């Protein structure tokens, strides 16, 4: 049985890396005595996979884990058992059973929606944002395994708008590329935006980024991985 | 504390998870509902400190008490320290993030000498006055335990009290005494006087040390009534009945020993003459297989760990090891739990069992012949022959291992050029073993790592009277080995002799070294055990500025008559036994494992364990 589980990574655990989170969830699966299937071979590994990782320092209410089970169990039961053995700040929200033949979440997910709160740059920010998005080419330097390279991130921004202002902060929502094909870290986008607006300083020191959900394209629509659930 | 300042800092430092707490199984209590707040301090980074078994035991043990909340604190890495100082954020405990300066106790565990400047740095970062006489009634008591606490003299200025020996019982007695003192009210000294009545508790300020003209110690005597003239270490007599946690904190980050640690026994019967642990943890006390199986079940269920290690000083000496491993495999094998036996002697084990075990994981194998010739191995009483070693290595190669590590020491007492050459010879023979097994087939995967550490004479060992080789001499020996070990498939690595020199100074140091530690810390020394932070020149300057000759401590042979700075501490094993062993060492005479017969080391006076 294959299960897709939506979970939250909250403020208290936002500094744990994806690798640490994976290890934490593997151990929680053991504590909860979830019958996880293991790979074959010399060094059997639990068959657990993840949707695109959340960068360190961000919170989320829309993370996904993909677990292959050796024996059947109910999705509600899965969440209940996991939630009783998880550290504070990690919570299983909902699980669904999906078709075992579907490709990996990593390859299916293409977009993620973020809520971004940052110190309000003040009046004129709306116009600057408009100008920022009017560009056809927004080039940033991405550093990866093979060194640094230039990337145009404009095509990876599907949607970016101001949704509110409160207590000297401006709240934005952004739909960005996320997945194995291409992926844009919202922090990099914000840095690029603030540079464009002409604000100095390290933006990651005052931008709070929260992932709302992830999406994949299925049956002519953008849906969340939970909608892969059978029935 | 202003938690938003911490939030801001955490965004800017490497591995913020070190300072976050909130791990699974972390103990949460309402601090306003306890009488005693205890900060268990490990003077190194989180991932090192969290791997320490003693902390796991005492953390959960103290938190069993309703009147006490024990929290953890580690040395922040230098980037974090810098930010904390910039923002004026004092050192805080991970559980509540409250400053440890507000606590009742800050208890350091002293695992190695090169963490001493970190102790000072942590006190400073906490805003706690460094020396005991600078602290007043609103400050915590600064206490210590652990192997280096047996000769704590170089740190005597900094600690209010020190605990000798197994902590499981004495810590409760100490907390009970504190509880009574806190409820009744009294001066700081009142509490220390009361604490000094508890066996195993040492209050350095209640002892005066006098020195001879040549700089050696003349006497160590209590300076007030009712203080014991000798402090005897504590021994937990029955480990089956002793407290052992049924749960452990599961860190998020990858710590050094990230697994369930099951202590199968305490102590060691082998009597290697350089080894301090082999003396100070006597007598050998084993846990029963049934108790271990029970603990293993609970710990694996409560932590979700996928690996369990059987820890002790020499796990293959456990009297029922085969049975234990069999039962563990049967019960946890199906749950895909793997096992590690850190100090396994492969020769004493059935091959089937090893084959079974390594199905799960195959890490490199480590052997510790310690010396290059049989003569020198006899001197140090390492009861291993070349044949033993080569047999074990051959078996390992047959079972498919292709990386082995060989640990040696240089600068051991009586060492000659021949002994150094013996190290290279042994490496060559191990390599030959591999070709014998593979039928002469070359392999690019074969890797033999030869590792050399400089011998550090330690207190409470038969070599406590010995002079350490000077750094220059050790360097010559290393150069010789580097040349001799230019062998294909053999890698050579070594510990910095300068570090071993400082270890030797502080391991056998006296109270006059307190000012050196303070000076070195003022000059920026910390994390000395980390090569990137080791400032040897600053250390030399600290000795110079304080008019201290480090060679007096490290490179000087002591006579049998000399009053050693730790002569008021009784670890059970007597100085006369140690001297006898030293004399036997010089003649190359062996003292077989004391499971065979009793050699009269003196530990039976304290009771407990296999000696009874």
């Amino acid at each position: 049985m294959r299960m897709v589980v939506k979970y939250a990574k909250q403020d208290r655990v936002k500094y744990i890396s994806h690798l640490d989170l994976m290890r934490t969830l593997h151990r929680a699966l053991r504590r909860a005595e979830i019958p996880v299937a293991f790979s074959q071979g010399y060094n059997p590994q639990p068959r657990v996979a993840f949707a695109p990782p959340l960068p360190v320092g961000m919170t989320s209410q829309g993370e996904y884990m993909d677990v292959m089970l050796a024996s059947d169990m109910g999705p509600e039961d899965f969440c209940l058992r996991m939630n009783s053995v998880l550290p504070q700040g990690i919570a299983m929200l909902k699980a669904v059973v999906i078709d075992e033949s579907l490709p990996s979440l990593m390859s299916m997910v293409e977009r993620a929606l973020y809520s971004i709160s940052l110190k309000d740059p003040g009046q004129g920010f709306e116009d600057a944002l408009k100008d920022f998005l009017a560009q056809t080419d927004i080039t940033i330097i991405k550093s990866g395994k093979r060194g640094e390279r230039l990337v145009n991130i404009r095509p990876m921004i599907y949607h970016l708008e101001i949704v509110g202002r409160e207590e000297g902060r401006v709240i934005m929502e952004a739909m960005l590329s996320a997945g194995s094909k291409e992926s844009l870290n919202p922090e990099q986008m914000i840095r690029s935006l603030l540079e464009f607006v002409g604000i100095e300083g390290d933006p990651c020191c005052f931008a709070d980024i929260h992932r709302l959900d992830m999406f994949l394209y299925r049956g002519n629509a953008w849906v969340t991985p939970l909608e892969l659930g059978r029935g | 504390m202003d938690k938003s300042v911490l939030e801001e800092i955490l965004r800017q430092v490497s591995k913020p998870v070190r300072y976050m707490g909130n791990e699974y199984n972390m103990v949460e209590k309402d601090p306003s509902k306890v009488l005693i707040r205890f900060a268990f301090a490990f003077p190194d980074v989180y991932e090192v400190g969290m791997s320490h078994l003693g902390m796991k035991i005492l953390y959960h043990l103290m938190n069993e008490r309703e009147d006490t909340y024990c929290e953890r604190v580690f040395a922040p890495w230098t980037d974090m320290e810098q930010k904390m100082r910039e923002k004026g954020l004092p050192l805080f405990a991970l559980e509540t993030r409250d400053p440890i300066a507000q606590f009742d106790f800050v208890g350091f565990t002293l695992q190695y000498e090169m963490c001493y400047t970190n102790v000072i740095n942590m006190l400073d970062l906490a805003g706690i006055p460094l020396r005991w006489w600078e602290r007043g009634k609103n400050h915590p008591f600064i206490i210590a335990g652990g192997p280096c606490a047996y000769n704590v003299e170089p740190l005597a200025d900094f600690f209010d009290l020190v605990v000798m020996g197994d902590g499981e019982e004495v810590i409760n007695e100490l907390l009970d005494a504190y509880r009574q003192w806190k409820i009744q009210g009294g001066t700081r000294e009142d509490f220390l006087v009361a604490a000094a009545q508890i066996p195993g508790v040492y209050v350095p300020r209640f002892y005066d040390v006098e020195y001879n003209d040549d700089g050696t110690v003349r006497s160590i005597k209590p300076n007030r009534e009712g203080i014991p003239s000798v402090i005897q270490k504590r021994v937990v007599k029955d480990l089956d009945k002793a407290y052992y946690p049924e749960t452990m904190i599961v860190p998020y980050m990858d710590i050094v020993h990230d697994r369930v640690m099951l202590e199968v026994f305490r102590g060691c019967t082998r009597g290697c003459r350089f080894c301090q642990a082999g003396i100070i943890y006597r007598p050998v006390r084993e846990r029963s297989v049934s108790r271990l199986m029970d603990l293993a079940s609970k710990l694996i269920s409560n932590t979700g760990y996928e690996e369990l290690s059987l820890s002790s000083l020499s796990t293959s000496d456990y009297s029922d090891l085969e049975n234990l491993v069999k039962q563990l495999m049967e019960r946890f094998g199906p749950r895909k739990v793997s096992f590690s036996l850190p100090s396994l002697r492969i020769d004493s084990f059935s091959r089937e069992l090893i084959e079974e075990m390594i199905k799960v994981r195959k890490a490199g194998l480590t052997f510790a012949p310690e010396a290059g010739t049989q003569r020198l191995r006899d001197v140090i009483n390492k009861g291993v022959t070349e044949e033993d070693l080569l047999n074990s290595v051959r078996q390992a190669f047959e079972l498919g291992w292709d990386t082995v590590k060989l640990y040696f020491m240089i600068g051991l007492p009586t060492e000659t050029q021949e002994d150094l050459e013996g190290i290279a010879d042994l490496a060559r023979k191990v390599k030959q073993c591999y070709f014998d097994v593979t039928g002469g087939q070359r392999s690019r995967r074969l890797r033999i790592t030869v590792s050399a550490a400089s011998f550090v004479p330690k207190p409470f060992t038969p070599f406590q009277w010995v002079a350490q080789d000077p750094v220059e001499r050790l360097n010559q020996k290393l150069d010789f080995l580097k040349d001799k070990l230019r062998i294909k498939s053999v890698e050579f690595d070594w510990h910095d002799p300068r570090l071993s020199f400082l270890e030797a100074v502080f391991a056998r140091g006296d109270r006059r070294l307190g000012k050196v530690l303070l000076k070195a810390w003022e000059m920026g020394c910390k994390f000395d055990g980390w090569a990137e932070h080791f400032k040897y020149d600053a250390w030399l300057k600290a000795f110079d500025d304080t008019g201290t000759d480090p060679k007096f401590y490290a490179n000087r042979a002591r006579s049998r008559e000399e009053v050693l700075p730790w002569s008021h501490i009784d670890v059970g094993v007597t100085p006369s036994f140690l001297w006898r062993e030293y004399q036997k060492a010089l003649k190359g005479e062996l003292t077989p494992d004391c499971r065979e017969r009793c050699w009269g080391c003196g530990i039976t006076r304290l009771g407990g364990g296999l000696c009874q």
Side-chain angles (χ1 to χ4, degrees):
Chain A
M1 175 182 269
R2 183 174 167 191
M3 217 175 271
V4 158
V5 193
K6 182 178 187 177
Y7 65 95
K9 186 184 178 196
Q10 294 152 355
D11 202 56
R12 285 194 79 161
V13 292
K14 69 179 171 191
Y15 291 117
I16 69 174
S17 69
H18 185 63
L19 204 66
D20 293 342
L21 182 72
M22 281 164 55
R23 201 169 22 234
T24 299
L25 288 169
H26 280 145
R27 287 173 183 161
L29 287 163
R30 283 173 168 273
R31 290 193 292 267
E33 294 177 23
I34 305 288
V36 178
F38 275 74
S39 63
Q40 300 297 307
Y42 189 71
N43 189 11
Q45 292 296 314
R47 293 180 63 188
V48 181
F50 293 86
L54 186 71
V56 175
M58 298 181 195
T59 54
S60 172
Q61 64 190 63
E63 297 303 291
Y64 291 91
M65 173 168 77
D66 180 352
V67 188
M68 193 66 84
L69 299 172
S71 58
D72 291 0
M73 71 185 294
E76 294 81 15
D77 191 29
F78 180 96
C79 291
L80 216 61
R81 272 157 71 176
M82 283 295 279
N83 283 332
S84 65
V85 296
L86 280 167
Q88 285 187 40
I90 304 173
M92 299 290 139
L93 304 175
K94 193 173 168 42
V96 292
V97 176
I98 67 162
D99 195 328
E100 284 184 23
S101 63
L102 283 169
S104 71
L105 279 184
M106 195 64 200
S107 64
M108 288 190 290
V109 167
E110 286 179 58
R111 294 180 181 185
L113 184 65
Y114 300 89
S115 168
I116 302 163
S117 150
L118 74 161
K119 212 165 106 192
D120 198 338
Q123 293 310 312
F125 183 57
E126 280 88 346
D127 292 337
L129 182 61
K130 226 172 268 165
D131 293 344
F132 176 73
L133 290 173
Q135 303 173 95
T136 50
D137 202 317
I138 303 175
T139 304
I140 65 159
I141 301 166
K142 252 192 170 179
S143 45
K145 282 181 197 130
R146 282 163 296 170
E148 293 184 339
R149 64 200 166 95
L150 295 175
V151 181
N152 176 16
I153 61 168
R154 182 62 192 90
M156 301 185 218
I157 306 171
Y158 301 103
H159 175 81
L160 172 64
E161 64 169 356
I162 296 167
V163 292
R165 286 189 138 104
E166 57 184 36
E167 292 164 21
R169 296 182 78 81
V170 54
I171 319 292
M172 297 193 288
E173 244 178 46
M175 180 75 88
L176 309 175
S177 285
S180 52
K181 269 178 248 142
E182 51 180 23
S183 190
L184 174 58
N185 183 332
E187 211 165 84
Q188 285 176 319
M189 180 198 67
I190 290 294
R191 194 169 296 153
S192 172
L193 168 64
L194 293 181
E195 225 165 75
F196 181 81
V197 178
I199 293 176
E200 303 298 320
D202 193 354
C204 67
C205 283
F206 48 85
D208 286 325
I209 302 172
H210 179 75
R211 182 140 78 184
L212 294 164
D213 218 326
M214 293 189 227
F215 298 90
L216 48 92
Y217 196 68
R218 202 169 165 78
N220 300 322
W222 288 97
V223 298
T224 74
L226 283 184
E227 283 162 86
L228 295 169
R230 286 192 291 225
Chain B
M1 149 173 134
D2 187 354
K3 308 226 157 134
S4 65
V5 174
L6 178 60
E7 273 300 309
E8 194 190 319
I9 291 178
L10 287 181
R11 290 170 184 242
Q12 301 169 52
V13 297
S14 60
K15 303 189 181 171
V17 65
R18 284 169 172 160
Y19 317 105
M20 228 177 57
N22 187 43
E23 308 95 324
Y24 190 71
N25 289 333
M26 176 185 97
V27 176
E28 291 193 75
K29 290 189 183 186
D30 180 349
S32 67
K33 296 213 170 80
V34 298
L35 189 76
I36 307 169
R37 296 191 70 181
F38 193 108
F40 197 116
F42 196 103
D44 209 319
V45 279
Y46 177 91
E47 56 269 40
V48 174
M50 280 302 290
S51 303
H52 175 237
L53 179 61
M55 174 184 252
K56 294 175 198 285
I57 296 174
L58 294 176
Y59 173 81
H60 291 287
L61 179 146
M62 281 191 259
N63 279 321
E64 294 272 310
R65 293 174 67 109
E66 265 182 41
D67 63 355
T68 305
Y69 189 9
C70 175
E71 305 184 39
R72 297 160 297 150
V73 60
F74 301 93
W77 193 241
T78 47
D79 61 341
M80 179 67 174
E81 181 192 336
Q82 194 195 334
K83 293 280 174 205
M84 288 169 74
R85 289 191 188 277
E86 270 171 29
K87 304 280 176 192
L89 189 73
L91 189 62
F92 57 91
L94 294 188
E95 276 71 7
T96 55
R97 299 185 168 185
D98 287 337
I100 60 167
Q102 301 171 358
F103 283 46
D104 297 276
F105 287 99
V106 177
F108 285 92
T109 177
L110 304 174
Q111 296 293 316
Y112 27 85
E113 292 82 10
M114 298 323 289
C115 72
Y116 290 175
T117 52
N118 275 13
V119 171
I120 299 175
N121 198 42
M122 286 170 76
L123 289 175
D124 181 68
L125 202 50
I128 298 169
L130 302 179
R131 270 88 59 93
W132 61 260
W133 58 84
E134 298 162 340
R135 294 195 282 264
K137 78 172 194 292
N138 293 323
H139 295 120
F141 285 98
I142 310 303
I143 73 174
C148 290
Y150 287 108
N151 178 34
V152 80
E153 294 305 293
L155 287 164
D157 292 349
F158 307 97
F159 291 125
D160 291 298
L161 70 85
V162 179
V163 175
M164 308 279 168
D166 300 326
E168 286 100 331
E169 290 164 359
V170 63
I171 195 75
N172 274 326
E173 294 163 28
L174 190 68
L175 294 175
D176 288 342
Y178 182 82
R179 177 192 176 87
Q180 203 172 8
W181 172 80
K182 195 169 182 181
I183 291 168
Q184 284 174 351
T187 64
R188 262 175 103 77
E189 200 163 278
D190 289 341
F191 169 65
L192 293 173
V193 171
Q197 311 307 314
I198 301 170
V201 172
Y202 171 49
V203 181
R205 76 181 70 166
F206 292 160
Y207 297 79
D208 284 339
V209 183
E210 286 177 18
Y211 300 93
N212 295 310
D213 292 342
D214 64 1
T216 56
V217 173
R218 180 184 299 156
S219 65
I220 306 160
K221 286 188 201 130
N223 55 21
R224 57 191 297 154
E225 289 290 301
I227 299 298
S229 54
V230 169
I231 301 95
Q232 194 176 65
K233 80 163 184 199
R234 293 296 293 269
V235 171
V236 169
K237 295 204 168 80
D238 184 347
L239 276 200
D240 263 356
K241 294 196 187 108
Y243 177 83
Y244 201 80
E246 293 179 353
T247 185
M248 285 177 184
I249 291 175
V250 187
Y252 297 109
M253 78 184 294
D254 197 10
I255 61 169
V256 179
H257 298 295
D258 204 11
R259 53 189 76 95
V260 166
M261 274 192 252
L262 200 58
E263 186 196 31
V264 292
F265 67 92
R266 208 170 284 180
C268 181
T269 49
R270 299 203 161 254
C272 300
R273 291 175 179 134
F274 56 86
C275 178
Q276 189 193 42
I279 299 292
I280 59 178
Y281 289 108
R282 285 185 184 198
V284 166
R285 289 144 293 158
E286 297 191 335
R287 283 197 169 84
S288 64
V289 171
S290 62
R291 172 84 169 129
L292 290 169
M293 289 303 293
D294 182 46
L295 286 171
S297 290
K298 287 174 174 146
L299 283 163
I300 286 172
S301 300
N302 290 337
T303 61
Y305 267 124
E306 56 289 315
E307 190 180 342
L308 178 146
S309 85
L310 300 178
S311 44
S312 75
L313 291 170
S314 166
T315 297
S316 52
D317 288 336
Y318 181 64
S319 41
D320 208 3
L321 186 61
E322 190 130 358
N323 181 24
L324 174 64
V325 172
K326 229 177 236 154
Q327 287 197 35
L328 286 170
M329 302 277 313
E330 270 168 27
R331 190 170 314 167
F332 303 110
R335 286 161 72 175
K336 304 275 191 303
V337 173
S338 66
F339 304 95
S340 58
L341 285 76
S343 43
L344 176 71
R345 281 162 65 97
I346 211 168
D347 53 303
S348 62
F349 236 59
S350 91
R351 222 174 125 144
E352 290 74 36
L353 215 49
I354 294 173
E355 278 177 39
E356 193 64 30
M357 280 172 49
I358 59 172
K359 268 187 193 157
V360 201
R361 180 179 300 214
K362 197 151 73 180
L365 264 193
T366 301
F367 300 91
E370 310 288 4
T373 61
Q374 198 55 50
R375 186 201 67 80
L376 192 53
R377 282 194 294 273
D378 290 350
V379 166
I380 61 174
N381 204 40
K382 184 87 193 181
V384 171
T385 64
E386 185 172 299
E387 206 187 333
D388 289 341
L389 173 79
L390 293 178
N391 273 338
S392 305
V393 169
R394 184 169 301 113
Q395 283 206 39
F397 288 149
E398 280 166 7
L399 288 166
W401 264 282
D402 42 33
T403 33
V404 295
K405 274 189 190 164
L406 303 172
Y407 280 15
F408 293 95
M409 272 187 282
I410 58 165
L412 284 164
T414 78
E415 183 185 63
T416 64
Q417 204 68 11
E418 203 181 310
D419 300 308
L420 295 174
E421 275 165 25
I423 293 177
D425 289 345
L426 213 47
R428 250 185 236 104
K429 283 176 187 161
V430 167
K431 187 176 169 183
Q432 186 54 48
C433 240
Y434 184 83
F435 292 135
D436 290 348
V437 169
T438 59
Q441 209 179 354
R442 314 264 145 198
S443 165
R444 225 175 290 155
R445 287 186 315 177
L446 172 65
R447 216 173 65 230
I448 301 163
T449 305
V450 174
S451 186
S454 301
F455 166 63
V456 178
K458 296 270 186 161
F460 308 106
T461 67
F463 294 150
Q464 65 178 357
W465 292 278
V466 166
Q468 188 187 42
D469 267 356
V471 172
E472 308 76 57
R473 184 81 194 95
L474 292 168
N475 277 326
Q476 285 167 5
K477 289 179 177 182
L478 280 179
D479 286 342
F480 177 80
L481 280 177
K482 283 178 213 167
D483 191 48
K484 284 275 170 192
L485 284 165
R486 259 179 260 245
I487 305 169
K488 205 169 167 236
S489 313
V490 176
E491 266 174 43
F492 181 47
D493 66 43
W494 58 89
H495 294 272
D496 187 341
R498 299 173 305 169
L499 210 55
S500 308
F501 171 61
L502 289 181
E503 283 167 9
V505 171
F506 290 102
R508 292 186 297 170
D510 57 41
R511 290 188 179 188
R512 291 169 298 184
L513 291 178
K515 57 183 186 297
V516 179
L517 287 171
L518 196 61
K519 192 80 194 170
W521 168 74
E522 282 167 2
M523 290 192 291
C525 293
K526 58 192 158 196
F527 286 112
D528 300 291
W530 297 74
E532 68 263 49
H533 291 299
F534 182 44
K535 300 186 176 83
Y536 189 56
D537 292 340
W539 276 103
L540 292 185
K541 193 164 182 320
F543 285 114
D544 209 39
D545 286 0
T546 53
T548 309
D549 178 13
K551 296 194 175 84
F552 172 83
Y553 296 97
N555 308 127
R556 182 177 63 89
R558 279 80 161 160
S559 72
R560 174 71 178 93
E561 289 71 41
E562 185 172 329
V563 178
L564 301 170
W566 52 93
S567 57
H568 54 315
I569 308 298
D570 178 8
V571 295
V573 176
T574 59
S576 56
F577 171 79
L578 295 176
W579 182 261
R580 233 158 47 225
E581 279 296 297
Y582 177 32
Q583 298 312 306
K584 281 174 89 175
L586 295 177
K587 287 182 254 167
E589 284 175 24
L590 288 171
T591 300
D593 193 312
C594 58
R595 286 181 201 236
E596 288 174 26
R597 61 158 272 203
C598 177
W599 299 94
C601 75
I603 195 68
T604 48
R605 291 178 298 127
L606 276 57
L610 299 186
C611 295
Q612 274 180 334

